[in-house]
Amino acid sequence: MQHPRKPHPLTLAIGLALTAWPFAAALAQEAKPADKNQLETVVITAERRVENIKDVPNAVTKLSGEKLDVLNSSGQDIRFLSGRVPSLNIESSFGRAFPRFYIRGYGNVDFRLNASQPVSLIYDEVVQENPILKGFPVFDVNAVEVIAGPQGTLFGRNTPAGVVKFDSVKPSKKSDGYFNASYGSYGTMNLEGAMNLPIGGDWSARVSAQLQHRDDWVTNTNAKGPRKTEGYDDRAVRLQALYEPNKAFSALFNVHNRELDGSPRLFRANIIKKGTSDLVDGFDPEKVAIDGTNEQRLHATGGSARLKWALGEATLHSITALESVQPFSRGDVDGGFGAPYAPDGKFGPGFIPFSVETSDALKGHRQLSQEFRLESSSSAATRWQGGVYLFDEKYTVESINYDTIFGGPNTSARTHQTNKAWALFGAINHDLSRDLKLRAGLRYTEDKKTLATESKDIALNTANGLSANTKDSKWTWDASGTYAVDRDTNLYARVGTGFRASAILPASAFGPQTKASPETLTSFEVGVKSDFWNRRARLSASLFRYDVKDLQLTEVGGGGNGNSVKSAKKARGQGLEVNLDLLPMENLIVTVGGSFNDATIRDAGLTVGGCGGGCTVVNRPAGGGQFYLDGNQLPQAPRWVGNMTARYSIPTADGEYFIFTDWAYRSRVNIFLYEALEFTAKPLTEGGLRVGYIWGNGKYEAAVFGRNITNQVRATGAIDFNNLTGFINDPRTYGVQFKALF
């Protein structure tokens, strides 16, 4: 269903930014030198080389330094990045263990443990393919880069929407490190630290660790079930060793581990007011009434070896990696207690038609990957890189359904999946002149999957069989050009293609096995990147459009409580993105970012089932409980995203006082494929504030902070097969923080 578009303040802000650029650039020619107040040069590795962000013909945003420290101060997981850069949304129905990423409105709402996402997460040059691996904590990180649009040439797995790239701080021979600690409301604690280890010789090493804790802060008012929930202990450690015997060879070894013990996302029955997207009157975030168990555990271990050889005019890279993750998540999915058929006939809050308590776990997970990449080392007009990528993953998903009311027996099903892929890739850069530079890349991928489901105690739906296999092959490519208007301003244009392999969702008692063919994407993008006002301002802006063919969509829940994958003939996304950094006056730095995304399904005949009960679907009915989707905005795809930070400092003789504020906004989103009044998440604005003092030549910092300082409470997701069950965003937290460098 199409909705009229209303003017939005962000529209004016973006329009003004784009309009002001040429005038500001002209004024910059006459600006007086102010070297001590210039913005620092931003260096990125979005195309596997170290480059100035201004020279890369792609929409890239980098987060680093103090901004990362601030956003991570209250013990949040990787979802703290959501909305902090244009076109990025991150959500989860699992909690800390299973984040789902969306760039430019393009993502995947599938909650299955074998789900694939069109946004690839790269941690220290290693693809984290399984969705559970994507939740590894962010600590001792040099930078986070969000690269929008298809990256189907240089990166390894399923990248049609873009890449989120993390680079840890590497070891060095310096005897230094840091310690960062915060404590706040709900017993929230965040401890983080790192140090280089004095090994000597040709070796250097670095150990870094993070501990995050929150008390159980939600009380269960029902007599049965856990007394309290929503707390967690999340621990992670990384050990790196760097061997550099000479300038011709280096080897960087990385071993990391994560241990999570907490609760999954807390579902709350009947919290959405019928006919609206508001929470019910009197809703209390600190209370729930459930009769099931809420528990979540995760063990993840991995390692990699990154070798580099200097071979005269070329450099050879080898990246060998092993990742393994074993999650277990059990939750009261119906979000309440009892049912009409319970022995005592009691249920609540509101109507609970049937009881659902389930768990999912990965058994025997193992991901192996190997990449060899050869790149030219010279600074000649023509530069190149190319290589081969190998991927091998296997695991078993175990799903258990618990008989909460009668106490058993419980039932389970197991799904075994393997995924093997290989790719050849190459890219070339050529400078036609000092001002005009071209790039192009090509990749061939072959991808195979096998899946089989079995159960000893569940009557699985065998309509489409219990096993399947796929074999896909695809060429992807990109081409781009950058034109330097002057030494401070570049214009660029890029066209690229992307590919995501076939999807298979297993059979269950509620529905048959389903399969979807590969999806392909073509994207067009133009933009401008400019430093102006004597480098006291930096602007990047892009316009883009992409078309996805055979888009894989996951239909979840509904009256049949199923989970199936189907394909839309086409989806189209188009919009714009803006980042603006400013030093308007001494000791004040401001950043503003925003995006508009129109990402819609284009398939006149595609239908899905509506909710299981209680909601008001506004799409055109197709009969038999089905509804047409043509024209719907993609799920979890906000049309508008905006963010802002501002930092003001007051120098003293021994240090400086500072105040730092950050804000992120996203407009309303469809929670499911269909549109319903109750299942449209309202706009969400979350802000943070940090006030502190730095002294000792920058070595020590003490601060007080607040997150979600306006205490905005929103339903950010829902369960649609049972009742108006939803889950909410994180509560307001505040606390104190201390950081020391040594």
Side-chain angles (χ1 to χ4, degrees):
M1 178 177 179
Q2 297 287 352
H3 295 280
R5 298 177 186 170
K6 299 180 181 179
H8 194 283
L10 193 56
T11 310
L12 179 60
I14 293 173
L16 287 174
L18 291 171
T19 304
W21 165 68
F23 299 103
L27 289 173
Q29 306 303 318
E30 299 181 6
K32 295 181 179 180
D35 292 343
K36 67 177 182 178
N37 280 323
Q38 290 184 337
L39 292 169
E40 295 181 358
T41 299
V42 177
V43 174
I44 61 173
T45 57
E47 297 203 357
R48 312 296 293 273
R49 298 176 184 268
V50 177
E51 298 178 277
N52 187 322
I53 193 171
K54 182 164 59 69
D55 298 329
V56 177
N58 209 337
V60 186
T61 305
K62 179 178 179 179
L63 296 175
S64 60
E66 184 179 28
K67 185 179 289 190
L68 277 179
D69 286 345
V70 170
L71 298 177
N72 203 25
S73 60
S74 63
Q76 289 182 290
D77 59 272
I78 199 171
R79 287 173 291 168
F80 74 76
L81 295 171
S82 182
R84 301 298 170 175
V85 305
S87 295
L88 178 65
N89 188 37
I90 310 172
E91 55 85 28
S92 175
S93 57
F94 265 67
R96 301 174 70 85
F98 187 156
R100 296 190 285 253
F101 293 77
Y102 306 78
I103 294 179
R104 293 178 172 173
Y106 186 12
N108 183 9
V109 299
D110 191 0
F111 58 80
R112 293 278 189 171
L113 296 186
N114 72 327
S116 70
Q117 295 179 340
V119 177
S120 186
L121 190 139
I122 314 290
Y123 217 123
D124 291 331
E125 299 292 330
V126 177
V127 173
Q128 308 294 303
E129 176 64 16
N130 189 274
I132 302 297
L133 291 174
K134 297 178 190 290
F136 195 83
V138 183
F139 63 98
D140 196 29
V141 166
N142 183 56
V144 179
E145 297 176 15
V146 180
I147 314 166
Q151 306 300 314
T153 299
L154 293 176
F155 292 98
R157 296 282 302 154
N158 293 326
T159 63
V163 166
V164 181
K165 187 172 181 289
F166 297 81
D167 292 305
S168 301
V169 177
K170 295 179 176 60
S172 75
K173 294 185 181 298
K174 297 179 180 178
S175 298
D176 60 7
Y178 73 93
F179 173 75
N180 194 356
S182 68
Y183 184 81
S185 48
Y186 303 112
T188 303
M189 180 173 62
N190 191 70
L191 300 177
E192 180 182 330
M195 64 180 298
N196 290 312
L197 304 177
I199 295 180
D202 298 325
W203 288 88
S204 56
R206 185 176 182 89
V207 60
S208 51
Q210 183 185 73
L211 168 63
Q212 295 179 310
H213 168 86
R214 179 170 290 172
D215 294 340
D216 288 321
W217 61 278
V218 178
T219 299
N220 183 16
T221 60
N222 188 47
K224 184 180 179 182
R227 297 277 51 89
K228 283 183 171 292
T229 187
E230 276 287 84
Y232 55 81
D233 284 294
D234 203 348
R235 303 172 293 276
V237 62
R238 182 188 304 116
L239 177 62
Q240 299 179 86
L242 177 62
Y243 177 61
E244 293 180 298
N246 51 57
K247 294 183 179 181
F249 175 76
S250 68
L252 177 59
F253 302 96
N254 179 319
V255 178
H256 46 272
N257 168 261
R258 181 190 186 191
E259 303 290 337
L260 170 64
D261 185 1
S263 59
R265 204 66 190 269
L266 181 59
F267 302 131
R268 304 164 184 259
N270 294 302
I271 66 168
I272 303 172
K273 187 183 299 185
K274 186 171 177 58
T276 76
S277 56
D278 296 329
L279 297 174
V280 294
D281 297 336
F283 173 72
D284 186 348
E286 298 189 18
K287 291 182 180 179
V288 72
I290 57 176
D291 56 2
T293 299
N294 265 27
E295 59 178 333
Q296 189 171 82
R297 299 185 300 275
L298 185 152
H299 169 77
T301 302
S304 64
R306 298 155 64 184
L307 312 180
K308 184 171 70 173
W309 293 268
L311 306 174
E313 294 298 311
T315 302
L316 176 63
H317 301 264
S318 170
I319 304 173
T320 307
L322 169 65
E323 300 287 346
S324 177
V325 62
Q326 291 86 40
F328 173 82
S329 187
R330 177 179 176 179
D332 190 327
V333 182
D334 62 77
F337 64 89
Y341 53 81
D344 59 7
K346 295 181 179 180
F347 54 81
F351 181 59
I352 309 293
F354 53 89
S355 176
V356 183
E357 182 181 351
T358 63
S359 71
D360 287 289
L362 278 184
K363 307 286 187 177
H365 175 269
R366 184 265 290 149
Q367 174 190 296
L368 285 170
S369 61
Q370 173 66 56
E371 179 179 273
F372 294 105
R373 181 170 60 92
L374 188 67
E375 65 173 341
S376 59
S377 320
S378 70
S379 56
T382 301
R383 301 168 302 283
W384 51 266
Q385 57 180 310
V388 59
Y389 177 78
L390 307 171
F391 178 87
D392 187 347
E393 183 181 39
K394 68 175 184 178
Y395 51 83
T396 297
V397 180
E398 182 179 60
S399 300
I400 300 176
N401 184 58
Y402 300 89
D403 188 347
T404 308
I405 293 178
F406 297 101
N410 301 325
T411 56
S412 65
R414 288 193 166 204
T415 297
H416 312 279
Q417 179 165 312
T418 65
N419 186 189
K420 295 184 179 183
W422 63 270
L424 297 173
F425 62 92
I428 188 168
N429 296 30
H430 180 67
D431 301 343
L432 285 177
S433 67
R434 186 181 65 178
D435 298 329
L436 181 59
K437 301 178 181 181
L438 304 179
R439 306 184 184 204
L442 186 65
R443 188 183 191 100
Y444 176 79
T445 302
E446 186 171 288
D447 189 287
K448 297 179 182 180
K449 288 180 182 175
T450 65
L451 180 144
T453 304
E454 61 180 6
S455 176
K456 296 180 179 179
D457 44 33
I458 296 178
L460 297 171
N461 189 316
T462 60
N464 295 334
L466 297 179
S467 63
N469 59 78
T470 65
K471 181 178 179 181
D472 306 314
S473 58
K474 186 68 179 177
W475 289 96
T476 51
W477 57 270
D478 62 75
S480 58
T482 303
Y483 177 72
V485 178
D486 54 43
R487 67 176 186 176
D488 295 319
T489 302
N490 288 342
L491 304 177
Y492 75 88
R494 183 176 189 269
V495 58
T497 64
F499 156 74
R500 184 156 63 118
S502 297
I504 314 171
L505 289 187
S508 69
F510 301 101
Q513 175 181 277
T514 54
K515 185 165 65 172
S517 59
E519 64 183 28
T520 56
L521 169 141
T522 304
S523 170
F524 305 89
E525 180 178 329
V526 295
V528 58
K529 299 184 180 184
S530 180
D531 295 331
F532 57 95
W533 196 13
N534 197 31
R535 288 189 58 191
R536 294 176 63 180
R538 177 180 297 123
L539 172 73
S540 65
S542 60
L543 295 169
F544 62 86
R545 171 178 162 169
Y546 62 84
D547 291 285
V548 187
K549 183 180 178 182
D550 297 324
L551 175 68
Q552 298 170 14
L553 297 172
T554 304
E555 181 181 6
V556 299
N561 189 21
N563 189 36
S564 62
V565 62
K566 54 181 56 179
S567 295
K569 292 180 180 178
K570 189 176 181 180
R572 174 170 294 168
Q574 53 195 349
L576 56 87
E577 297 157 336
V578 173
N579 277 313
L580 181 64
D581 298 350
L582 291 171
L583 280 169
M585 57 183 289
E586 190 173 358
N587 303 321
L588 174 64
I589 183 169
V590 178
T591 69
V592 180
S595 59
F596 170 76
N597 283 273
D598 178 44
T600 55
I601 297 169
R602 304 294 181 94
D603 189 334
L606 183 63
T607 65
V608 295
C611 62
C615 82
T616 311
V617 181
V618 297
N619 288 116
R620 182 167 61 95
Q626 296 284 303
F627 296 87
Y628 289 105
L629 298 183
D630 189 43
N632 279 13
Q633 183 84 348
L634 292 175
Q636 293 294 340
R639 289 186 181 274
W640 296 99
V641 169
N643 59 79
M644 184 274 284
T645 70
R647 186 187 193 276
Y648 181 69
S649 60
I650 304 173
T652 67
D654 300 318
E656 69 169 16
Y657 292 97
F658 69 88
I659 180 170
F660 189 109
T661 186
D662 64 278
W663 294 85
Y665 165 85
R666 65 132 179 88
S667 60
R668 73 178 189 90
V669 295
N670 293 336
I671 297 176
F672 303 110
L673 290 173
Y674 59 83
E675 292 189 8
L677 298 180
E678 296 83 359
F679 295 140
T680 300
K682 297 179 69 174
L684 175 64
T685 303
E686 291 186 319
L689 183 66
R690 189 173 184 223
V691 181
Y693 182 65
I694 299 174
W695 72 98
N697 198 27
K699 289 187 175 182
Y700 306 102
E701 177 181 334
V704 295
F705 67 86
R707 307 300 307 160
N708 190 15
I709 57 177
T710 60
N711 201 29
Q712 193 168 93
V713 181
R714 294 283 188 268
T716 57
I719 303 296
D720 75 336
F721 65 81
N722 202 336
N723 43 40
L724 297 177
T725 296
F727 44 88
I728 62 173
N729 59 312
D730 276 358
R732 174 171 59 195
T733 56
Y734 50 87
V736 295
Q737 183 177 7
F738 174 75
K739 183 176 183 179
L741 307 179
F742 55 85

